[in-house]
Amino acid sequence: MKDSQSHSCCSFSADKEKKTGKKKSVSCGSIFFIVVNEFCERFSYYGMRAVLVLYFKYFLKWDDDFSTTIYHTFVALCYLSPILGAIIADSWLGKFKTIVYLSIVYTAGQVIMAVGAINDITDGNKDGTPDNMTFHIALSMVGLLLIALGTGGIKPCVAAFGGDQFNDDQEKQRSTFFSIFYLSINAGSLLSTIITPILRAQKCGIHTQQQCYPLAFGVPAALMVVSLIVFIVGSGMYNKTAPSGNIMVKVCKCIFFAIMNRFHNRSSQIPKREHWLDWAEEKYDKLLIAQVKMVLKVLFLYIPLPMFWALFDQQGSRWTLQATTMDGNFGLMVIQPDQMQTVNPILILIMVPVMDFIIYPLISKCKLNFTPLRKITVGMFLAGLAFVAAALVQLQIDATLPDFPSSTEQQAKFINMVNRPINITAGKYAFQLNSHMDFLLRNVFWLQFGDIVAKPEEGANAIRFFNGFGMTLNITVGEEGFGNIVSKNMSTYVDVPQGTAKFVIKNAAGSTCVFKREFGFGSSYTFIIPPNVTFEENVTFESNLCKLIADIKANSIHMAWQIPQYFLMTSGEVVFSVTGLEFSYSQAPSNMKAVLQAGWLLTVAVGNIIVLIVAEAATLPDQWAEYVLFAALLVLVCIIFAIMAYFYTYIDPVKIEADFANLEPEDEKKKNLEMTKKDMVENHDEKKRRSSNEDKKIE
């Protein structure tokens, strides 16, 4: 969920910033600049990410597994770098400078990605294929690394910086700001996942017209430039607080000291302490140690959570790749595979109020104790069901995919060009073609005429013609041409987009005829032009001009069948993510919510690392089996988490902190009382000594 994840990404230091002195009143202008900055940055990030896996597959020519691996490596880096950004902002540069400097890095990365997607840079022979793919891969990897550092580095700073613009007595205004802020996050992500795939689908190029990845990456880069400029323009209106130290560093030091102190005092003669963190008492106060204990108790529950994110973030990789083998024709419009990701934010806008105002109240009326940890368990289970649904869809897709010959077995096509039955023998093989223009396909030996051996890319339709006419023919479709096809020969394949295509066939005498046909997604056809074709001017043949041979059938499973798996995943996300954040905040000490946010982001990063490990290590031959594997792993982890949750005891951090606050004065009173008693004893002894001296003098 875009807003809940961003919430967890954007307030590392808001709760722990110690502010001294009264700040100037908040300016509506400063808030406007921050909100516009966040909208542009989220548009930039999610827009680029929406088309990323297809860029790997179709532009860089990586296979599905490697594309998935690099995609999730990038996402993992995006969720690891916030920890670095928070430390830089709180310990050295402050939030404003950190946002500016890392936004420059971010913008540079987006620009480098856009430049790396221009195939004409290295296309010396102008054939539409880059001559130096290593150059484009290097630029893409550098760009992604900079983007990961930039977007992750500013995550913990922007929302917290916005919160810094308000005084302590402006709670209502601050709450309104965060509502608008998270609305801008969802608006930016939703619009970008709709618009960027449309930009990608456009044709552009200097030498050849291809999918316009430079535009798809260039627009997010431009939005990032706007984001940076807008943020800097509002500089004079901001309240800028100086860095005051990072609580995460302090927590880590406390834990490290406790471990080392326990190691140095490992002798059996040394008395044991109630908790291993108590070994930090020599250096740190008891309140801090108690707060760290509360944090570690929640972080322990985080251990199973990465498996949820391992499934969730595959919406942008495996599920998008699945959509490339499906039919995206929705009547009045054609949906691109990467546009299916918009189903998630749209369903979020529906499911959040449904859960809050309908589902949860109904469960409450049924007297069911639906605790936060139980909600998280249900969310994980729903995500597992989503992958079961994805596996069922994949099984249906696999049934429509062509069965390509193995490496030891090849296909041959035979076409009967004479008006009588013929018999064919090839070694141990024998078959018969009964009628004129009859067609037969057998797995026997090496392919003839360079048959297609893979599904056409990006939903295109690979079309070729066999010229059975008695003279050379020239065939064109739109701006593409099949060239001159000699009689009794086959043309090369030409990619034809989805929709109605009009083929213009011209013979050597200059006569033409027009042939029209409707195409779907991802098909491959061989059209055989018979010897008796009639060339008639101003006559368009709909389908009876040529004999049709389906090499690869069009995608017949509709993309709408992905909606159930998106619905299950989004429902699980709403229950899991929102509840997880609320639970973490309720169980965290007031000054250590930042540490739990760091832990929450770490679970997202680890989840993506799990995906790339499985994608590379798993040797499952079928994609549906991988979906089932992930679902089974999540269900197993869900059971483990349910057991952990059963033994978890809810705490009230405020009460615990208050108890420590009340104890400290009592300790001080005891200390003062002891000092008073000591003074009284010392005074009494002094009086006795003086009295003794006086008696001696009298004597």
Side-chain angles (χ1 to χ4, degrees):
M1 177 173 164
K2 303 297 188 297
D3 55 352
S4 66
Q5 285 191 23
S6 297
H7 177 80
S8 68
C9 301
C10 296
S11 357
F12 275 2
S13 50
D15 298 299
K16 61 178 173 26
E17 190 92 27
K18 293 182 180 179
K19 305 173 181 68
T20 56
K22 187 173 173 107
K23 296 183 290 189
K24 60 184 180 181
S25 298
V26 64
S27 166
C28 292
S30 66
I31 296 306
F32 169 80
F33 287 120
I34 294 172
V35 169
V36 172
N37 163 267
E38 185 65 11
F39 170 83
C40 294
E41 188 275 327
R42 290 291 86 185
F43 186 106
S44 177
Y45 173 72
Y46 284 107
M48 177 276 304
R49 181 172 152 176
V51 301
L52 189 58
V53 75
L54 297 186
Y55 172 72
F56 293 155
K57 179 180 175 66
Y58 295 130
F59 187 88
L60 299 182
K61 305 299 181 183
W62 291 343
D63 61 35
D64 289 359
D65 287 343
F66 193 62
S67 298
T68 300
T69 297
I70 300 301
Y71 174 87
H72 288 284
T73 301
F74 166 71
V75 176
L77 286 174
C78 289
Y79 284 94
L80 285 173
S81 54
I83 298 174
L84 178 63
I87 294 174
I88 292 173
D90 292 339
S91 302
W92 294 300
L93 297 179
K95 299 185 190 71
F96 176 78
K97 288 184 179 179
T98 301
I99 294 170
V100 171
Y101 295 158
L102 290 181
S103 291
I104 294 173
V105 173
Y106 191 170
T107 305
Q110 290 281 29
V111 171
I112 291 173
M113 277 293 294
V115 173
I118 303 174
N119 67 296
D120 294 309
I121 294 177
T122 62
D123 187 12
N125 56 9
K126 303 179 182 180
D127 64 347
T129 303
D131 299 330
N132 187 359
M133 188 60 76
T134 304
F135 172 80
H136 294 276
I137 292 174
L139 283 183
S140 299
M141 295 303 100
V142 171
L144 288 176
L145 179 61
L146 295 178
I147 291 170
L149 291 174
T151 187
I154 67 176
K155 276 181 189 295
C157 303
V158 180
F161 185 73
D164 288 347
Q165 308 308 304
F166 298 88
N167 295 323
D168 294 336
D169 59 348
Q170 294 178 308
E171 287 293 331
K172 184 177 180 181
Q173 292 91 330
R174 184 185 288 112
S175 177
T176 302
F177 160 72
F178 280 116
S179 297
I180 298 173
F181 183 83
Y182 297 127
L183 178 63
S184 72
I185 292 173
N186 282 280
S189 61
L190 177 60
L191 289 176
S192 65
T193 50
I194 294 174
I195 295 173
T196 310
I198 295 175
L199 299 176
R200 177 195 61 80
Q202 304 305 306
K203 298 291 184 180
C204 66
I206 300 173
H207 306 311
T208 57
Q209 297 291 301
Q210 298 189 15
Q211 297 280 330
C212 203
Y213 288 102
L215 182 62
F217 291 139
V219 170
L223 264 291
M224 197 58 222
V225 172
V226 172
S227 172
L228 177 59
I229 293 173
V230 166
F231 187 73
I232 293 175
V233 166
S235 175
M237 305 180 187
Y238 300 142
N239 289 315
K240 302 171 187 175
T241 56
S244 58
N246 190 279
I247 189 65
M248 287 185 294
V249 175
K250 194 173 183 180
V251 169
C252 292
K253 287 182 177 180
C254 178
I255 294 173
F256 180 76
F257 180 82
I259 294 172
M260 295 305 296
N261 194 29
R262 179 68 184 92
F263 178 77
H264 293 145
N265 294 276
R266 60 186 182 276
S267 173
S268 58
Q269 298 178 353
I270 300 176
K272 294 183 178 181
R273 300 185 184 182
E274 184 178 354
H275 193 280
W276 62 270
L277 268 174
D278 293 335
W279 289 95
E281 289 180 351
E282 282 82 352
K283 186 174 181 181
Y284 297 93
D285 61 75
K286 292 183 178 180
L287 176 59
L288 176 66
I289 294 172
Q291 291 170 331
V292 175
K293 288 179 183 177
M294 288 185 275
V295 167
L296 292 181
K297 188 177 180 182
V298 178
L299 290 178
F300 177 73
L301 281 178
Y302 281 2
I303 293 175
L305 302 189
M307 201 65 221
F308 173 87
W309 299 114
L311 276 69
F312 175 81
D313 277 332
Q314 289 189 61
Q315 293 176 92
S317 57
R318 290 298 196 195
W319 286 13
T320 299
L321 293 171
Q322 184 186 63
T324 63
T325 59
M326 303 178 76
D327 181 4
N329 190 350
F330 280 78
L332 297 178
M333 60 181 178
V334 175
I335 299 297
Q336 299 297 324
D338 35 7
Q339 282 183 309
M340 283 301 293
Q341 297 175 54
T342 60
V343 174
N344 175 259
I346 291 172
L347 286 176
I348 283 172
L349 297 176
I350 299 171
M351 293 304 299
V352 169
V354 167
M355 288 289 184
D356 287 341
F357 299 112
I358 299 177
I359 303 299
Y360 292 158
L362 284 176
I363 293 175
S364 179
K365 285 186 177 181
C366 293
K367 306 298 183 182
L368 296 175
N369 186 19
F370 201 33
T371 63
L373 293 180
R374 290 177 181 174
K375 291 179 183 177
I376 294 173
T377 306
V378 170
M380 297 170 75
F381 183 73
L382 288 173
L385 288 180
F387 263 60
V388 173
L392 294 175
V393 171
Q394 189 64 46
L395 282 171
Q396 298 302 313
I397 294 172
D398 290 347
T400 68
L401 296 178
D403 184 18
F404 293 109
S406 66
S407 58
T408 59
E409 186 179 51
Q410 301 297 333
Q411 290 181 338
K413 290 183 172 68
F414 299 92
I415 303 171
N416 184 358
M417 299 303 297
V418 297
N419 195 17
R420 59 180 173 79
I422 60 173
N423 294 314
I424 301 173
T425 59
K428 64 178 181 178
Y429 300 98
F431 8 87
Q432 185 180 47
L433 296 174
N434 295 317
S435 60
H436 181 226
M437 303 302 292
D438 199 2
F439 166 80
L440 188 65
L441 171 66
R442 284 291 183 270
N443 292 344
V444 285
F445 48 80
W446 184 249
L447 303 177
Q448 301 297 311
F449 304 118
D451 283 5
I452 192 168
V453 293
K455 258 289 197 184
E457 295 181 348
E458 304 185 59
N461 300 276
I463 308 300
R464 65 178 176 177
F465 282 85
F466 180 84
N467 182 6
F469 195 62
M471 64 175 68
T472 300
L473 299 177
N474 182 278
I475 305 175
T476 58
V477 52
E479 297 180 357
E480 299 289 339
F482 292 83
N484 292 323
I485 310 172
V486 179
S487 179
K488 306 299 186 292
N489 273 272
M490 191 85 76
S491 73
T492 57
Y493 283 102
V494 171
D495 287 342
V496 177
Q498 183 269 344
T500 302
K502 185 163 66 173
F503 301 92
V504 178
I505 306 174
K506 182 184 293 186
N507 62 19
S511 300
T512 62
C513 67
V514 178
F515 170 58
K516 283 174 59 178
R517 181 157 183 99
E518 187 79 18
F519 293 104
F521 291 84
S523 67
S524 177
Y525 294 105
T526 298
F527 291 103
I528 302 175
I529 302 175
N532 58 348
V533 63
T534 302
F535 287 85
E536 301 181 31
E537 296 291 341
N538 302 320
V539 175
T540 300
F541 296 89
E542 293 295 335
S543 60
N544 58 353
L545 176 67
C546 301
K547 184 177 179 65
L548 174 66
I549 299 171
D551 301 326
I552 298 174
K553 294 181 180 180
N555 302 344
S556 57
I557 307 300
H558 203 276
M559 283 186 193
W561 284 107
Q562 279 196 322
I563 293 177
Q565 65 199 55
Y566 273 101
F567 174 78
L568 288 169
M569 181 61 76
T570 305
S571 300
E573 179 195 3
V574 170
V575 177
F576 176 92
S577 185
V578 176
T579 306
L581 287 168
E582 291 175 353
F583 166 77
S584 300
Y585 268 63
S586 69
Q587 299 295 289
S590 58
N591 66 332
M592 291 196 181
K593 301 186 189 299
V595 180
L596 288 184
Q597 295 218 353
W600 185 265
L601 290 178
L602 192 61
T603 65
V604 182
V606 174
N608 281 271
I609 293 172
I610 291 173
V611 179
L612 66 93
I613 292 173
V614 173
E616 286 296 312
T619 57
L620 299 174
D622 300 309
Q623 184 57 52
W624 68 265
E626 184 179 297
Y627 288 144
V628 172
L629 173 62
F630 273 108
L633 289 174
L634 184 57
V635 170
L636 176 62
V637 168
C638 182
I639 294 172
I640 295 172
F641 180 81
I643 296 172
M644 295 169 63
Y646 179 80
F647 291 100
Y648 181 84
T649 303
Y650 289 84
I651 60 173
D652 185 355
V654 176
K655 184 178 182 301
I656 294 174
E657 290 176 328
D659 290 341
F660 272 93
N662 293 332
L663 281 174
E664 287 181 358
E666 291 295 330
D667 292 340
E668 191 68 27
K669 287 179 183 178
K670 290 180 181 179
K671 185 177 179 181
N672 292 335
L673 182 60
E674 290 174 357
M675 291 180 65
T676 303
K677 289 181 178 178
K678 183 178 180 181
D679 290 340
M680 290 176 64
V681 171
E682 289 178 349
N683 291 336
H684 179 71
D685 292 342
E686 180 65 20
K687 286 181 180 179
K688 285 181 67 178
R689 185 180 62 79
R690 288 179 180 177
S691 176
S692 176
N693 290 337
E694 288 177 358
D695 292 341
K696 287 180 179 179
K697 286 180 181 179
I698 293 173
E699 292 175 356

